[in-house]
Amino acid sequence: MPLLKIISPEGTERTVELADHNSLGRHPDNTIQLLDRIVSKNHCMIDAEGGKYILKDQGSLNGTYINGERVQGQKPLKPGDEITLGSTKMIFNAPVQASATAATGVGSVGGPEAGQKPSRVTMAAGMVESHIRSKLAQQSAQNFMPERLVTDEPSLRRDYEKLRVSFELTRAIAGELDVDKLLAKILSTSFELIAADRGVVLMFDDKKQLQPRCVRTKRGEANEEVALSTTIINEVVKERAAVLSSDALMDSRFKGAHSIIMQGIRSSMAVPLIYSDELLGVMVLDSQVAANAFSDKDLQMTQALANQAAVAIQNSLFALKIEKEALTRERFQRLLSPAIAELVVSGSLAVEKGGQLRETTVFFSDIRGFTALSETRTAQQIVDMLNEYFEMMVETIFKYEGTLDKFVGDEIMALFGSPVAHADDAIRAVRVAVEQVEALEEWNLMRVAEGEPPIHIGIGINTGDVVAGYLGSSKALEYTVIGDVVNTASRLCSVAKAGEIIISKSTYQLIKDDFETEELAPTQVKGKASALQIYRVLSEKNRRRRVTSG
């Protein structure tokens, strides 16, 4: 295959091997990208046809030349022909041996691989301080002089323009609380007020890094490349000032500014989005029509837009935060006591996905004879009974700051020590069990008086190390604990008879000074090779009431 020697405007050389079809131009989609401002995005093609290579001009603005003569349409190439595109020169050579090697593309700024779409936004370094035409210091609010102080027409016009911009944007975004839709409306309105070709809104992510959040192009091309200069953006972030920049290639020092050359950006404006001294992001508008397309007046208008936009964005973010907190509060209030739930919502207590080893007292209870009871009642009667029963039981769990893990049919699983630990978690768990049995006795008096059968429960409690945390998928997370301690607590609940509270030896060691207990015969439970030493809780030592079996 023949080679094409390329000499850039700066004098650097590279050689590419021509394929059967080659497109040349400034845009990275081309087979051969030329970083030359005067070169068109899609300048020309070189194709193999009938054993020859034919150069075809693509209607480029500045023309394609072979040996100093402008190509009209297309022209065959001969070895040694000098091709000129803008400020770039190329030499078409004779075919070489197949073993010869040559570079293709332009490194990291080259054209995309087959089937690869160019990215929407590229953050690229390259611009320098001296390229900035002017800056506009951020003002915390729109300043308007009192009518009596307005003495000149230009001041009046400036104030009118600020008001007009503010009104147009307010009308466009009224009532919009979805952040992404809001940003799209802000850019759309900006295009109506400012003669821009492209716009990008960048906002800070969770890692405090600026990321493109919304992109709009005048032509609406889905895969149009939008390159931004990190130098300009960093200047806006650092100084919190609006920046107006113009054609980088007016000075040879900017020959390395790929983000400008790649798309021929002639003018750009970057303005901070600030609300109450908080920098929310940066809005960038640019024009490819001509150098110095934007004026200082345009910069003032864009900053006025940004000021109004920042208020709307912050309102939208606040609404989103309130909605998220409401959902989080509702979610956690189902699991945690109100006081603990509020700590989670406020961020004082972190409950994150994943697991951590925690000593936890695990509590299980279920209704004895529930299956037989269900067979004599309608489904609605069972649901009503369970709702009343659960309401009473959960109230007791939250009273001692336990965590409701789950309901499984008529079974309740609760945790003491996860996610919040107390020095007396085991005592709290057993105290809940005692009070639940007492509460049921009182409830049963009313049920019997109404002709309903009494309800009796068995309770099992075990203490030890579990893995606690949010488990599940990103869309369905559930705070729970796993481990042998959980399984053992469930088995103890199965052992407990109606009205009994059965605890393990590990729990007994933690509560023996506070409760009267009775050691029972070692019991074999499913999943355990050895019989378990277990205890029945009789009463709390500083209370007269004893736990009675039903």
Side-chain angles (χ1 to χ4, degrees):
M1 303 297 286
L3 298 178
L4 191 65
K5 182 178 180 180
I6 302 173
I7 306 168
S8 72
E10 295 80 37
T12 59
E13 297 182 6
R14 61 188 171 101
T15 303
V16 299
E17 185 176 351
L18 292 175
D20 288 340
H21 172 73
N22 311 272
S23 61
L24 291 79
R26 196 176 67 244
H27 198 276
D29 277 353
N30 289 289
T31 307
I32 302 173
Q33 185 189 20
L34 303 174
L35 297 180
D36 184 333
R37 180 176 62 89
I38 306 177
V39 171
S40 298
K41 284 188 176 182
N42 301 293
H43 200 103
C44 68
M45 295 188 298
I46 299 177
D47 293 337
E49 295 181 4
K52 296 182 180 181
Y53 276 83
I54 310 297
L55 186 147
K56 304 174 183 178
D57 184 76
Q58 297 294 296
S60 60
L61 181 64
N62 294 312
T64 303
Y65 296 81
I66 298 178
N67 301 323
E69 293 185 6
R70 184 162 185 166
V71 175
Q72 302 296 331
Q74 62 183 44
K75 187 174 182 179
L77 290 171
K78 303 184 300 295
D81 275 351
E82 181 179 285
I83 306 167
T84 303
L85 280 66
S87 300
T88 301
K89 294 187 181 300
M90 295 173 285
I91 307 297
F92 178 74
N93 290 328
V96 296
Q97 298 295 325
S99 60
T101 58
T104 59
V106 209
S108 61
V109 217
E113 300 174 0
Q116 179 184 357
K117 295 181 180 179
S119 60
R120 287 283 287 164
V121 178
T122 301
M123 304 283 284
M127 296 184 66
V128 296
E129 173 70 22
S130 58
H131 182 57
I132 296 173
R133 275 185 54 202
S134 61
K135 297 181 185 178
L136 179 65
Q138 168 68 18
Q139 297 176 343
S140 58
Q142 303 274 12
N143 293 321
F144 301 98
M145 292 191 299
E147 177 271 334
R148 66 180 184 279
L149 298 180
V150 179
T151 58
D152 60 319
E153 183 178 330
S155 296
L156 186 61
R157 288 183 176 276
R158 283 195 301 271
D159 284 351
Y160 171 80
E161 195 66 9
K162 291 179 184 178
L163 288 170
R164 185 180 74 87
V165 168
S166 177
F167 171 76
E168 293 293 342
L169 185 60
T170 301
R171 185 174 62 175
I173 63 179
E176 184 58 70
L177 295 179
D178 183 284
V179 177
D180 292 319
K181 291 181 181 178
L182 175 65
L183 297 180
K185 289 184 177 181
I186 289 170
L187 284 181
S188 178
T189 305
S190 300
F191 275 40
E192 294 175 6
L193 300 173
I194 306 291
D197 292 321
R198 298 173 306 182
V200 180
V201 175
L202 303 105
M203 295 186 66
F204 289 100
D205 60 16
D206 295 338
K207 298 179 180 178
K208 304 300 181 184
Q209 298 294 317
L210 274 178
Q211 299 293 343
R213 184 72 180 264
C214 185
V215 186
R216 179 183 172 87
T217 62
K218 193 171 186 178
R219 291 180 295 181
E221 295 183 7
N223 296 316
E224 183 173 349
E225 182 80 13
V226 178
L228 304 178
S229 169
T230 54
T231 306
I232 291 296
I233 293 171
N234 290 340
E235 181 72 19
V236 174
V237 172
K238 178 183 176 183
E239 300 294 335
R240 294 192 168 206
V243 172
L244 173 62
S245 58
S246 56
D247 197 340
L249 290 184
M250 294 171 65
D251 191 313
S252 62
R253 289 176 297 169
F254 301 106
K255 63 185 180 183
H258 290 176
S259 61
I260 298 297
I261 300 171
M262 203 160 39
Q263 295 183 301
I265 295 174
R266 308 293 180 87
S267 293
S268 65
M269 294 183 292
V271 295
L273 299 166
I274 298 178
Y275 176 83
S276 186
D277 293 331
E278 180 184 358
L279 181 64
L280 305 178
V282 177
M283 182 167 70
V284 181
L285 299 175
D286 71 46
S287 171
Q288 295 178 282
V289 177
N292 304 330
F294 297 137
S295 64
D296 287 341
K297 178 183 176 183
D298 293 323
L299 187 64
Q300 291 178 355
M301 283 184 61
T302 305
Q303 184 60 76
L305 272 170
N307 291 342
Q308 189 76 9
V311 174
I313 292 170
Q314 187 60 53
N315 288 342
S316 180
L317 293 175
F318 274 143
L320 187 63
K321 181 181 178 182
I322 291 171
E323 180 182 1
K324 185 177 179 181
E325 285 187 357
L327 290 173
T328 302
R329 182 176 286 104
E330 180 184 6
R331 184 178 188 181
F332 279 105
Q333 281 180 342
R334 296 174 184 174
L335 305 177
L336 308 171
S337 67
I340 300 301
E342 200 59 41
L343 290 176
V344 175
V345 173
S346 66
S348 301
L349 175 64
V351 182
E352 301 174 351
K353 184 178 179 180
Q356 57 179 175
L357 200 64
R358 299 183 68 95
E359 181 177 271
T360 302
T361 297
V362 182
F363 172 109
F364 278 92
S365 71
D366 65 11
I367 298 174
R368 296 295 175 255
F370 181 73
T371 302
L373 178 65
S374 300
E375 293 174 351
T376 62
R377 296 292 186 273
T378 65
Q380 187 59 53
Q381 287 175 324
I382 293 297
V383 168
D384 292 342
M385 183 271 291
L386 283 177
N387 282 337
E388 188 174 358
Y389 163 74
F390 285 145
E391 187 75 29
M392 183 168 45
M393 298 297 102
V394 171
E395 183 179 351
T396 310
I397 293 170
F398 285 173
K399 175 182 176 182
Y400 291 99
E401 297 187 346
T403 299
L404 176 63
D405 186 287
K406 61 175 68 73
F407 298 124
V408 182
D410 62 307
E411 182 182 73
I412 298 174
M413 177 180 171
L415 311 173
F416 295 83
S418 295
V420 180
H422 306 89
D424 59 345
D425 278 317
I427 295 173
R428 290 171 183 244
V430 176
R431 189 168 289 151
V432 165
V434 171
E435 291 192 12
Q436 285 189 352
V437 172
E438 292 176 355
L440 273 179
E441 290 180 10
E442 295 180 8
W443 189 44
N444 282 332
L445 292 176
M446 291 187 292
R447 286 182 60 81
V448 171
E450 294 171 356
E452 295 293 336
I455 299 296
H456 299 291
I457 61 173
I459 299 173
I461 300 174
N462 186 28
T463 303
D465 289 336
V466 298
V467 177
Y470 260 140
L471 303 177
S473 72
S474 58
K475 294 183 178 179
L477 286 175
E478 178 184 71
Y479 187 83
T480 189
V481 296
I482 58 175
D484 182 63
V485 172
V486 181
N487 298 331
T488 301
S490 178
R491 301 286 184 253
L492 295 180
C493 181
S494 300
V495 169
K497 298 175 183 178
E500 280 191 335
I501 303 168
I502 302 299
I503 64 174
S504 66
K505 183 178 180 180
S506 58
T507 302
Y508 167 77
Q509 296 292 342
L510 297 170
I511 64 95
K512 60 184 180 181
D513 294 334
D514 295 86
F515 292 87
E516 296 285 355
T517 61
E518 176 186 0
E519 184 175 355
L520 302 179
T523 301
Q524 188 73 47
V525 298
K526 183 179 178 181
K528 289 291 184 180
S530 303
L532 295 179
Q533 186 175 354
I534 62 174
Y535 301 80
R536 178 193 295 128
V537 176
L538 300 177
S539 65
E540 191 168 358
K541 289 184 176 180
N542 60 351
R543 301 174 68 191
R544 294 182 181 178
R545 189 76 179 227
R546 294 180 62 83
V547 178
T548 58
S549 299

